[in-house]
């Protein structure tokens, strides 16, 4: 494991409200990039499909006042390595377990948004002793394809475009697509500024982002087979936060998830879409902090 002395292709700093040093850890032979701020009970923040650590930029400073906040780029995403894996759910889960081992964390609260919620659920089911609590934010549900109401995202899941053509599109016609995606997942379109769009495009155009994304898409049936049927087996204290204007998975999906996970609590976040921790950070941070009080 290394600290701030990262390889040249990894920026030295993460730019949010303030600058946070980007660290790296070797996990199962692959480099995982992450932020590590604050002291106290550890929280691990897991981003969604196609995302990166910047989706948690408004959590670093507020939550680090009480907690140790660890924010990785999932393997295959952002600044982390993108090895030639199948990107099965088990591989993402083991990368988080390996990161916890590298950081000497026997347990942590896992906070996951969208696909990151699916990884958090998988950790809770596969390694229940490593998870203290769960916070699921507009999380991956069961029967994903049937519950996904966004035509744009349905096309992304169902496309048969070969990887080389997808890479071409990402480089030459991807800006318009990225803006459409952001406006699909973000309720308040005034937040989709040129700076946010530029950052999202730079993340998407990182070397060989497309192959892991397509592999993750193709491994979705494994989520449905191995993890979605076991949601009722979760025994961890669980908070579910859901954007009231989520255009991908509507609020009823969050309500169904609450009834499936024993003793889960559901809170709807007004004026927020699929990433409410980014659109309504003060509200989300307050709910997380209150849930985690002893």
């Amino acid at each position: 494991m290394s600290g701030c002395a990262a390889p040249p292709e990894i920026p030295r700093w993460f730019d949010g409200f303030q600058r946070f040093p980007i660290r790296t850890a070797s996990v199962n032979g692959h480099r995982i990039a992450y932020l590590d701020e604050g002291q106290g009970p550890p929280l691990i923040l897991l981003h969604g499909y196609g995302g990166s650590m910047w989706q948690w930029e408004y959590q670093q400073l507020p939550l680090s006042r009480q907690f140790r906040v660890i924010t990785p780029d999932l393997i295959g995403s952002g600044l982390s390595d993108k090895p030639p894996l199948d990107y099965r759910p088990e591989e993402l889960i083991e990368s988080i377990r390996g990161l916890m081992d590298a950081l000497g964390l026997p347990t942590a609260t896992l906070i996951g948004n969208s696909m990151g919620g699916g990884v958090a659920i998988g950790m809770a089911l596969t390694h229940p002793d490593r998870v203290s609590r769960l916070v699921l934010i507009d999380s991956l549900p069961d029967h994903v394809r049937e519950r996904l109401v966004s035509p744009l995202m349905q096309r992304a899941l169902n496309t048969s475009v070969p990887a080389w053509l997808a890479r071409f599109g990402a480089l030459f016609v991807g800006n318009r697509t990225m803006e459409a995606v952001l406006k699909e997942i973000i309720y308040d379109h005034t937040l989709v500024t040129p700076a946010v769009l530029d950052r999202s495009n730079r993340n998407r155009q990182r070397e060989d982002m497309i192959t892991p994304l397509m592999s993750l898409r193709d491994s979705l049936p494994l989520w449905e087979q191995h993890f979605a049927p076991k949601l009722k087996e979760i025994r961890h204290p669980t908070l579910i936060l859901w954007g009231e204007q989520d255009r991908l998975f509507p609020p009823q999906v969050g309500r169904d998830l609450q009834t499936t996970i024993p003793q889960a609590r559901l809170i709807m976040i007004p004026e927020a879409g699929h990433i409410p921790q980014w659109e309504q950070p003060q509200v989300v941070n307050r709910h997380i902090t209150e849930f985690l009080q002893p």
Side-chain angles (χ1 to χ4, degrees), residues 3 5 13 27 45 58 71 73 116 124 129 142 153 157 172 177-178 183 197 206 210 218 228 240 277:
W13 302 103
V27 176
L45 313 184
Y58 300 127
T71 312
D73 276 339
D129 58 323
D142 57 353
M153 298 304 170
L157 283 183
F172 296 102
T177 300
M178 178 54 65
K183 289 183 175 180
L197 185 58
R206 293 191 189 280
I210 298 300
D218 294 342
I240 301 173
Q277 78 275 11

Side-chain angles (χ1 to χ4, degrees), residues 33-38 41-46 56 60 67-73 99-100 103 105 108-109 111:
Y34 66 99
L35 308 178
D36 191 346
E37 296 297 322
L43 315 179
I44 300 179
L45 313 184
L46 304 174
W56 302 100
Q60 305 302 315
F67 307 99
R68 181 181 178 185
V69 183
I70 298 160
T71 312
D73 276 339
L99 178 62
M100 292 177 66
L103 298 180
L105 299 177
T109 290
I111 304 177

